[in-house]
Amino acid sequence: GQQVMQIPQYQHVQEGEDFTTYCNSSTTLSNIQWYKQRPGGHPVFLIQLVKSGEVKKQKRLTFQFGEAKKNSSLHITATQTTDVGTYFCAVHHNNAGNMLTFGGGTRLMVKP
Amino acid sequence: DADVTQTPRNRITKTGKRIMLECSQTKGHDRMYWYRQDPGLGLRLIYYSFDVKDINKGEISDGYSVSRQAQAKFSLSLESAIPNQTALYFCATGVTFSGELFFGEGSRLTVL
């Protein structure tokens, strides 16, 4: 089936350091969504990117969609302990009907 | 009160038992989904439904069945539970093809 690879699987940073997670697909994507799941919680929608080359910001979070619509990244500037959790990308593939496929997630741990 | 409610939140059962996980929503959304979460594998789609008469298989439907009893209710059944179905199960709702998903709190199932 359709797959989306997300790296890294884990990232441990010192508070104040930056963090980036990447999502890659071998096929062209219709759009990409990003979710955050706090420890013990449920995934919560952060943002959706639709256009080629799109960049969106939410405070310290910057989301990018690749020019070829096959990859995306989430960058957090100056991490805080409140950023702890697992970040997932989720994609609709052009040829995969209505299924939303999630990446494996990147678990972010922040040391105070 | 949560907009997407799952019951039970935790369940321990034995191999071969029939289990039903229930999901109800007050958001008025037509689309409902069941996902399974395993460590490192992200969320995998089991079944989804776009209205009461519509049921679709996801990535990993074998061993599961669903019932869409009403617009607001979508239940997941394991007819004969097996240990590798031990996981965290999430129900989600959505509005449009490419819109965000709203997740319930999750149901943790352990099959001994």
Side-chain angles (χ1 to χ4, degrees):
Chain A
Q2 304 286 353
Q3 289 191 341
V4 55
M5 301 301 296
Q6 193 173 349
I7 56 171
Q9 190 172 1
Y10 302 95
Q11 185 80 58
H12 205 148
V13 301
Q14 193 74 37
E15 188 173 20
E17 292 181 338
D18 292 356
F19 159 78
T20 305
T21 175
Y22 301 90
C23 195
N24 299 294
S25 170
S26 58
T27 60
T28 303
L29 305 172
S30 300
N31 55 61
I32 190 163
Q33 299 177 4
W34 285 93
Y35 291 78
K36 176 183 179 181
Q37 183 179 20
R38 295 183 183 276
H42 59 279
V44 175
F45 176 83
L46 294 175
I47 207 161
Q48 178 170 276
L49 305 173
V50 179
K51 299 176 182 178
S52 169
E54 189 170 16
V55 179
K56 287 188 176 180
K57 293 190 175 184
Q58 291 179 351
K59 297 183 179 179
R60 295 178 294 104
L61 278 61
T62 301
F63 304 84
Q64 292 189 323
F65 202 7
E67 293 289 342
K69 299 184 74 172
K70 289 185 176 182
N71 57 74
S72 180
S73 65
L74 158 58
H75 179 83
I76 302 178
T77 303
T79 55
Q80 300 176 359
T81 55
T82 53
D83 296 324
V84 164
T86 301
Y87 293 84
F88 294 98
C89 61
V91 302
H92 284 106
H93 293 264
N94 284 336
N95 302 321
N98 294 307
M99 285 176 49
L100 186 65
T101 302
F102 280 78
T106 297
R107 183 180 173 189
L108 172 63
M109 293 158 279
V110 179
K111 187 184 302 183
Chain B
D1 290 338
D3 294 323
V4 183
T5 303
Q6 292 183 229
T7 56
R9 294 293 311 281
N10 288 283
R11 181 73 182 268
I12 299 174
T13 191
K14 296 182 179 180
T15 297
K17 293 291 188 181
R18 183 179 187 272
I19 294 297
M20 179 181 287
L21 305 179
E22 298 185 343
C23 178
S24 63
Q25 52 118 346
T26 58
K27 300 186 78 66
H29 292 167
D30 288 327
R31 297 169 183 246
M32 298 189 73
Y33 306 78
W34 276 104
Y35 282 89
R36 166 178 172 160
Q37 185 173 33
D38 299 277
L41 295 178
L43 295 116
R44 292 182 292 168
L45 183 62
I46 307 173
Y47 272 96
Y48 60 103
S49 168
F50 288 163
D51 64 42
V52 175
K53 297 180 180 179
D54 178 75
I55 300 291
N56 303 281
K57 292 184 177 181
E59 304 168 70
I60 55 166
S61 58
D62 288 348
Y64 301 95
S65 63
V66 291
S67 174
R68 184 80 183 265
Q69 302 95 321
Q71 187 208 33
K73 296 184 183 295
F74 192 36
S75 60
L76 175 71
S77 294
L78 289 68
E79 295 300 325
S80 181
I82 55 177
N84 75 2
Q85 290 177 313
T86 293
L88 182 57
Y89 291 86
F90 285 103
C91 174
T93 71
V95 178
T96 60
F97 170 75
S98 58
E100 67 182 278
L101 295 187
F102 298 85
F103 285 83
E105 298 293 325
S107 296
R108 185 169 296 281
L109 176 65
T110 302
V111 184
L112 302 176

